[in-house]
């Protein structure tokens, strides 16, 4: 019986790949980022970082910890940082920075920076829902029919509004009350 975590993720023709970074402190998730296109992820005491870490625990302020360039997914292990890598083949490695790790499909890595752990892996990201093109066309057709029905209702709606006379509601309530009293009044 094989462990689900040891197998590479299932691939789909409608999926692109993303570098998933999950920052945890203890059991609490403190940051998540999915990098689809060219870009970098930072850690440190800056607003754009995936996790706030005091600069005393880092070698320098806001180091780059991950980078996506085309189809290359690189995890940067800063100086004085430990890393654990589990390859798609099931073998594990321990590293101490500075080092660069080229992640492949099915690889998992964990950076340990003080009390924060950054977990990294390549994951498929669905681009189009499971409905497919024909399902999306049906949804578009139904939306267009709904808008057409709203337009027809707006055209057929009366333009002028009837206005009630001053005190007409008061008179109607008085007449209804008088009828009720007359019907339910005790006989003389």
């Amino acid at each position: 019986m094989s462990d689900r975590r040891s197998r590479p993720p299932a691939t789909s023709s409608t999926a692109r790949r993303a570098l998933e970074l999950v920052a945890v402190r203890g059991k609490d998730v403190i940051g998540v980022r999915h990098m689809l296109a060219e870009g970098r992820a930072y850690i440190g005491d800056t607003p754009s970082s995936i996790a706030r870490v005091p600069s005393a625990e880092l070698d320098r302020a806001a180091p780059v910890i991950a980078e996506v360039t085309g189809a290359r997914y690189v995890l940067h292990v800063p100086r004085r940082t430990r890393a654990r890598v589990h390859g798609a083949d099931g073998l594990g490695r321990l590293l101490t920075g500075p080092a660069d790790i080229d992640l492949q499909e099915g690889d998992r890595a964990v950076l340990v920076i003080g009390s924060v752990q950054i977990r990294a892996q390549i994951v498929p990201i669905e681009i189009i829902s499971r409905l497919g093109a024909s399902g999306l066309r049906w949804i578009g057709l139904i939306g267009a029919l709904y808008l057409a029905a709203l337009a027809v209702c707006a055209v057929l709606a009366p333009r002028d509004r009837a206005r009630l006379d001053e005190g007409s509601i008061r008179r109607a309530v008085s007449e209804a009350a008088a009828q009720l009293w007359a019907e339910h009044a005790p006989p003389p």
Side-chain angles (χ1 to χ4, degrees), residues 11-17 126-127:
T11 58
S12 169
S13 61
T14 61
R16 287 179 50 195
R17 304 290 171 257
E126 291 291 327
I127 298 173

Side-chain angles (χ1 to χ4, degrees), residues 12-185:
S12 169
S13 61
T14 61
R16 287 179 50 195
R17 304 290 171 257
L19 178 59
E20 178 184 66
L21 301 170
V22 179
V24 294
R25 182 176 283 125
K27 291 184 179 184
D28 298 329
V29 175
I30 57 174
V32 175
R33 185 152 311 150
H34 288 91
M35 298 172 58
L36 284 169
E38 310 279 324
R40 294 178 169 182
Y42 299 90
I43 189 167
D45 200 17
T46 62
S48 64
S49 68
I50 186 172
R52 298 284 181 119
V53 176
S55 57
E57 294 182 17
L58 301 172
D59 185 40
R60 58 189 163 106
V64 175
I65 59 163
E67 188 171 12
V68 175
T69 310
R72 187 170 180 234
Y73 303 94
V74 180
L75 192 63
H76 300 290
V77 182
R79 191 178 339 190
R80 297 185 315 204
T81 301
R82 299 180 321 248
R84 184 177 65 238
V85 180
H86 296 275
D89 55 4
L91 296 176
R93 298 183 297 163
L94 296 175
L95 300 167
T96 302
D100 291 340
I101 303 168
D102 282 318
L103 289 174
Q104 303 299 322
E105 187 88 19
D107 291 348
R108 293 176 293 129
V110 178
L111 297 178
V112 180
I113 305 170
S115 62
V116 174
Q117 292 183 5
I118 308 292
R119 298 176 184 168
Q121 66 180 346
I122 299 171
V123 295
I125 301 291
E126 291 291 327
I127 298 173
I128 298 175
S129 70
R130 294 182 182 176
L131 293 173
S134 64
L136 293 175
R137 280 190 217 116
W138 277 108
I139 291 174
L141 177 65
I142 291 170
L145 290 172
Y146 179 72
L147 290 176
L150 284 177
V152 168
C153 289
V155 168
L156 296 177
R159 299 256 184 254
D160 55 334
R161 296 181 185 155
R163 298 197 124 222
L164 293 176
D165 297 346
E166 192 75 30
S168 61
I169 293 177
R170 189 178 321 130
R171 283 192 302 272
V173 170
S174 299
E175 288 177 21
Q179 281 182 344
L180 285 174
W181 283 110
E183 292 174 3
H184 297 293

